[in-house]
Amino acid sequence: MEHFEFGLSARWDPRDHLLLKMFGAQNRLGFPRLRSRIFLTQPLARAEPQAHRYESWRTIARALKLELPSGDQITQPLPRARETVLIHTGAGQSVRIWPLGHYQQLVARLRQAKFQVQIACDSYQRDWWLGVGETTVATPGT
């Protein structure tokens, strides 16, 4: 059985806190609600309700003696002039494979929006993609 030294919940949800307790995490940090304090070893004060979830993670980090930058200090990367989207149409289990025609429609919509699209597929799907006009289809071995 796994042994967890820490269990963290940034959600204000008693179900999370119960799971942390059930999994046997030695240190359980979270924001108590509806008496879920009994499941936490370190109950934390909740941020303002309108605050972004990131503030909850900052509170948890401070409790762990870590410092995360404030939300306004985080910068978004500049968008690249040309975005490439990789779409893999295979799956480990056949029941999880979306119909290839649906992928084809998605690829068309992305290309209309000026995205460059690269298809990666399972080996048995390769001929289908080549048959519908895709010229560069990657078929990774793993």
Side-chain angles (χ1 to χ4, degrees), residues 98-107:
W98 205 32
L100 295 179
H102 291 359
Y103 280 111
Q104 185 183 23
Q105 291 173 6
L106 176 61
V107 168

Side-chain angles (χ1 to χ4, degrees), residues 4 7 10-11 16 20-21 28-29 43 58 77 107 118 128:
F4 299 100
R11 296 180 349 132
D16 281 6
L20 295 177
K21 174 76 172 170
R28 300 177 300 279
L29 288 75
R58 285 188 70 214
V107 168
Q118 170 67 56
W128 186 91

Side-chain angles (χ1 to χ4, degrees), residues 73-87:
Q73 291 178 317
I74 298 174
T75 58
Q76 295 293 324
L78 295 173
R80 293 179 288 187
R82 200 157 148 192
E83 295 289 334
T84 300
V85 177
L86 173 67
I87 296 180

